[in-house]
Amino acid sequence: MTLTVLDPATEEPIAELEQAGVEETDEAVARATEVYPAWRSVAPADRARLLRRVATLVEEHGEELAKIESRNVGKPISGARGEIGMVAQVFHFYAGAVDKHYGQTIPAAGGEAMTFREPLGVVGLTVPWNFPLNIASWKLGPALACGNTVVLKPAELTPLSALRLGELVLEAGIPEGVVNVLVGKGSVVGQRLIEHPDVAKIGFTGSTEVGRLVMQGAAATIKRVTLELGGKSANVIFEDADLERAAAAPYAVFDNAGQDCCARSRILVQKSVYDRFLGAFITATEGVEVGDPADDSTEMGPLVSAAHRETVSSFVDGEAVFSGKAPSGKGFWFPCTIVEATNGDRVAREEVFGPVAAIIPFEGEEDAIRIANDTPYGLSGSIWTRNGARALRVARALEAGVLSVNSNSSVRVQTPFGGFKQSGFGRELGMQGLDGYSEVKSVFISTEG
Ligand code: NDP
């Protein structure tokens, strides 16, 4: 069956692709299984060199990849350039990590005990459409660094950058079969990877709903899983914060048109500064440039699909305190929208995954922590205050995996990324990312006799 890939800004088809089914998935797993012994035996310095070469090729093809990503996802070209830059950084980081993923020696009676980090085998990587190549690289980098071979399934909506990366991986000299990119449906290819007895692990990013299916399916073969799922993160603004700075950062929720698992889509504001903050936040949001993703000055593009726009719209049923401008006509456009809410409202409970910010008032620190934690999710969040002790107290009290103080940035190549609660488990990025793609083996050598 063929798949038509659309440009979300124009609704025009940009590619027609053949979709893989169960048979092609099995063939890809067989190829990855066959080359696994050779790939895991590549000397660490050589594996590092190959990953470094992938990073360099991504840099050399940066503009081309950014254009592919921008056109396929509808994301502004400036943002896409930054994301491709990060993809290169990820490969550089894990190239450097190959020979620094040490084992331990452990005191033991009668001999010496030591640990080794062994690869898992063939890993299945299923990624979403919001940051297609970026999220793929967070999994590919550590998986390859540890010596695993890979079947990568991009989202149906956004397969183009992964296909191009598959070519660059070969050009870098990584042998055929080590990285297999399969375009196909989640319910077919994704499902088969979960079931396949020769797949050792699923690295998954996507909805909590599908994450649950991954976990259930993985149980049959005791597959390892890393789940990076949804979020409903809080941006907590205290009265002693630099309000102007906090309000001037509307991208914490509107970046990537809100299609971001780290979107701070609940903005918790202390009552004493609520009106001042809201006014400044509306002014900043009015300034967000929405339009043609190919234009350098554009800050927000359309949503990814018509179906997704429908879902996002369903969250704005009452009066919005602010609704911005968006192009009319073709394209899956949705304006920046600000609503006042309580934490019990649907817009504050469920992941909207669109440019909709829910502003929620709170009384004091205890109340802020209670509301921020009153969600099944626990991915990211921000704390805005000039009081250092409070910043640390609240950071320790929040049930979330990735927090920032006086900043809205969540993702760094060097630091672990992942969720608490129903936002998933396992960590990506940083040296911790390697833990999810290796097993610890303990070996005891007797020194007696
Ligand atoms: P999904 O969770 O459905 O998709 C994520 C990936 O999983 C895609 O590659 C998809 O394939 C695949 N998939 C879908 N069904 C299965 C299955 N049964 N078995 C294995 N793999 C499967 O997310 P959606 O794209 O539908 O988005 C829905 C909502 O999920 C969003 O509105 C948002 O709330 C949340 N989401 C969260 C993300 C995050 O970063 N945490 C990312 C994306 C979505 P395919 O698309 O090809 O069918």
Side-chain angles (χ1 to χ4, degrees):
M1 220 173 57
T2 55
L3 169 73
T4 305
V5 182
L6 298 182
D7 175 343
T10 61
E11 303 180 35
E12 297 294 328
I14 47 177
E16 295 279 337
L17 302 170
E18 273 308 308
Q19 294 202 79
V22 169
E23 201 177 312
E24 289 80 8
T25 309
D26 287 354
E27 284 165 10
V29 173
R31 277 196 302 276
T33 306
E34 195 186 330
V35 300
Y36 169 62
W39 176 245
R40 68 167 295 181
S41 305
V42 170
D46 292 334
R47 203 181 308 140
R49 231 187 315 274
L50 289 166
L51 289 179
R52 188 79 71 194
R53 182 86 188 109
V54 175
T56 306
L57 281 171
V58 169
E59 282 164 349
E60 285 170 11
H61 293 266
E63 190 60 18
E64 175 199 350
L65 289 165
K67 282 188 172 145
I68 292 174
E69 203 79 316
S70 168
R71 188 133 188 250
N72 194 173
V73 187
K75 64 173 71 214
I77 185 69
S78 57
R81 285 189 187 116
E83 286 170 34
I84 300 303
M86 189 190 189
V87 172
Q89 274 185 44
V90 169
F91 283 108
H92 277 304
F93 181 90
Y94 286 108
V98 169
D99 52 8
K100 296 169 196 70
H101 193 210
Y102 307 130
Q104 297 172 311
T105 53
I106 300 167
E112 302 294 345
M114 65 195 81
T115 62
F116 296 90
R117 313 299 306 236
E118 305 286 14
L120 303 173
V122 179
V123 298
L125 308 179
T126 301
V127 300
W129 43 260
N130 53 342
F131 297 102
L133 205 57
N134 222 316
I135 291 176
S137 74
W138 299 5
K139 301 177 191 329
L140 279 169
L144 296 173
C146 289
N148 303 282
T149 55
V150 165
V151 180
L152 169 66
K153 194 207 89 62
E156 267 175 275
L157 291 171
T158 57
L160 301 182
S161 56
L163 287 171
R164 185 67 185 113
L165 183 72
E167 294 168 358
L168 295 179
V169 162
L170 290 177
E171 198 178 322
I174 292 186
E176 210 145 332
V178 173
V179 175
N180 303 273
V181 182
L182 277 191
V183 175
K185 286 187 186 305
S187 55
V188 179
V189 176
Q191 184 61 34
R192 181 61 189 150
L193 289 173
I194 297 167
E195 288 165 359
H196 202 298
D198 295 339
V199 173
K201 183 218 164 100
I202 300 289
F204 175 82
T205 300
S207 61
T208 295
E209 194 187 351
V210 177
R212 218 167 267 131
L213 294 178
V214 172
M215 216 169 149
Q216 276 165 4
T221 46
I222 316 292
K223 270 188 188 49
R224 280 73 182 127
V225 289
T226 296
L227 300 177
E228 202 273 276
L229 309 176
K232 197 68 214 175
S233 299
N235 200 352
V236 185
I237 321 281
F238 286 100
E239 62 187 3
D240 59 4
D242 180 340
L243 286 187
E244 279 60 44
R245 245 186 90 212
Y251 312 104
V253 56
F254 300 127
D255 192 35
N256 211 38
Q259 302 166 124
D260 182 346
C261 48
C262 290
R264 276 82 166 147
S265 52
R266 290 183 301 150
I267 305 183
L268 277 46
V269 188
Q270 195 154 7
K271 274 190 182 152
S272 49
V273 293
Y274 184 88
D275 290 338
R276 230 177 94 205
F277 176 85
L278 184 58
F281 188 66
I282 288 174
T283 305
T285 306
E286 274 167 347
V288 175
E289 290 282 336
V290 184
D292 181 1
D295 192 325
D296 274 329
S297 62
T298 295
E299 295 173 304
M300 193 175 100
L303 293 171
V304 75
S305 68
H308 189 53
R309 181 171 59 183
E310 193 102 335
T311 309
V312 171
S313 309
S314 75
F315 283 92
V316 190
D317 43 10
E319 274 284 288
V321 281
F322 175 79
S323 186
K325 292 196 189 77
S328 51
K330 288 274 188 194
F332 310 124
W333 301 97
F334 197 88
C336 291
T337 305
I338 303 171
V339 298
E340 291 181 289
T342 70
N343 203 49
D345 294 342
R346 180 171 166 248
V347 70
R349 307 295 315 163
E350 295 177 24
E351 188 174 41
V352 178
F353 230 58
V356 182
I359 316 274
I360 301 168
F362 69 85
E363 295 286 351
E365 190 175 311
E366 212 177 299
D367 197 30
I369 293 167
R370 181 187 60 76
I371 298 172
N373 286 341
D374 178 17
T375 169
Y377 296 110
L379 188 53
S380 72
S382 296
I383 301 150
W384 291 80
T385 174
R386 287 194 178 99
N387 177 336
R390 165 178 279 167
L392 206 46
R393 250 188 341 259
V394 177
R396 293 301 303 272
L398 293 188
E399 296 160 355
V402 192
L403 292 167
S404 16
V405 174
N406 297 328
S407 156
N408 290 317
S409 99
S410 306
V411 175
R412 255 161 243 92
V413 173
Q414 305 81 356
T415 58
F417 178 86
F420 280 26
K421 304 199 285 191
Q422 292 187 32
S423 288
F425 57 83
R427 291 293 177 268
E428 302 196 298
L429 298 175
M431 291 304 278
Q432 286 85 348
L434 298 164
D435 296 347
Y437 290 94
S438 57
E439 295 276 23
V440 175
K441 181 187 281 172
S442 173
V443 176
F444 173 77
I445 303 180
S446 168
T447 51
E448 291 168 355

